[in-house]
Amino acid sequence: MRPFWLALGFLTTFPVPRLGPVLPGEMRSASAFYPVAGYCLGGVLALAAWLTQALPEGLQGALLLALWLGLTGMLHLDGLLDSADALLAMKPPPERLKILSDLHLGSFAFGVGFVHLLLKWQLLASGPSPWLLLCLPAVVRFALLVPMNLYPAARPEGLGAGSREGRIGLALLFALPAMVLFPWQALAVLLAMLLLARWAARRLGGGLSGDVYGALVEIGESVGLLVGVWLRMH
């Protein structure tokens, strides 16, 4: 159970047993349980959507967004903001890597963050299916493992980098039910995350960082919600 608890504790704010120091290679094993951690997150979101369905759409969307951010500790949002400052800067790759390490936020972070949160709020206010809310986080966290293993780590010291070269086959097995239920969302999420990862790797000199992993998760979730809205309209 330790790999599961490591994945849950890394990706969410759910309480987990005291695990002590993370040993070398443990995050690779934990990466197989990323989709399971996604189901845990999605289960709470789906339940919250069902309990708040009588509220006005805008208010329900805001509450779901706040819950989503709280359950992830804003880990992925922080990665999106840092990545925006670094990847959009007109600097060479080594300077962009330094920007990723800077704790301060610049104008790119505020602009991208505002637009992203506004879009995600509107997508949640559109009333996505609780089943999609259950499955989407699992799909995204499996899809994350694909670019994570395709591109080297730009900064090998982080826990995200330690998750590379894990048991992606087992992760696929866990994510498969969600992908079967929502195949178009899963395809769109994977393509969007691969395209963003390719662009980010070129901007950073060939590798990806933990901040970029967070950005990929945020963008993947919004793409999945957007495709869900589009399918309901057609």
Side-chain angles (χ1 to χ4, degrees), residues 78-108:
D78 178 70
L80 176 66
L81 300 182
D82 289 339
S83 297
D85 273 339
L87 298 177
L88 297 176
M90 300 302 293
K91 303 283 185 180
E95 291 296 317
R96 294 192 184 106
L97 287 172
K98 290 182 180 179
I99 294 173
L100 282 174
S101 302
D102 192 345
L103 297 178
H104 300 89
L105 298 179
S107 57
F108 289 129

Side-chain angles (χ1 to χ4, degrees), residues 106-147:
S107 57
F108 289 129
F110 285 108
V112 169
F114 176 79
V115 172
H116 172 75
L117 290 175
L118 184 63
L119 174 62
K120 199 168 186 178
W121 167 52
Q122 285 295 294
L123 291 171
L124 290 170
S126 71
S129 160
W131 286 106
L132 178 60
L133 292 176
L134 168 65
C135 294
L136 181 59
V139 170
V140 170
R141 280 148 187 81
F142 165 74
L144 173 64
L145 297 176
V146 179

